[in-house]
Amino acid sequence: MPKDAAVEEFAALVRALKARDGRSYEALGRRLSVSASTLHRYCSGATVPEEFAVVDRLALLCGVDEEGRRALEAAWTEADRARRRAASPAPTPVPAVSAAPESKPDPSVPDPTAE
């Protein structure tokens, strides 16, 4: 399944921050209190952080100005929306209720209303 364009854009921004800083995933992760693999998933677009705080800390660590942080937050917001859409289950169709076929009386059973 292809990734959402908003997620791709957000991941590209996070990758650019990581490249700008020059540290390894492990070193950056330690500074941000996340695992190296979590940071890698953000950079690859495999996942989007549930909260902007970790990305904001990364931006501050990398010396991003206020305008850049606002742009990063806007990109995160769009990616988060895409993540939520993908995570919400599709509505399950309700099976149509069909009327029970009319039953024909069993000819071997006497009809009590016939008398």
Side-chain angles (χ1 to χ4, degrees):
M1 166 186 269
K3 292 181 191 151
D4 185 277
V7 173
E8 287 291 339
E9 180 183 341
F10 173 73
L13 292 172
V14 176
R15 279 193 306 273
L17 287 176
K18 188 213 174 280
R20 177 178 175 171
D21 185 75
R23 295 178 211 183
S24 68
Y25 285 110
E26 190 171 323
L28 272 176
R30 275 195 306 267
R31 304 264 331 246
L32 299 171
S33 299
V34 297
S35 70
S37 61
T38 295
L39 187 56
H40 184 266
R41 286 191 303 270
Y42 297 161
C43 289
S44 69
T47 59
V48 175
E50 289 189 17
E51 296 180 358
F52 179 67
V54 69
V55 181
D56 194 37
R57 289 193 315 267
L58 175 62
L60 287 170
L61 185 64
C62 295
V64 176
D65 64 11
E66 188 64 33
E67 184 179 334
R69 287 173 47 217
R70 280 194 301 271
L72 185 60
E73 185 172 16
W76 171 81
T77 299
E78 290 302 314
D80 186 54
R81 281 189 188 125
R83 176 186 64 84
R84 290 173 192 269
R85 279 192 307 270
S88 65
T92 55
V94 177
V97 178
S98 62
E102 292 200 25
S103 60
K104 297 184 180 180
D106 184 351
S108 64
V109 177
D111 183 1
T113 59
E115 292 182 20

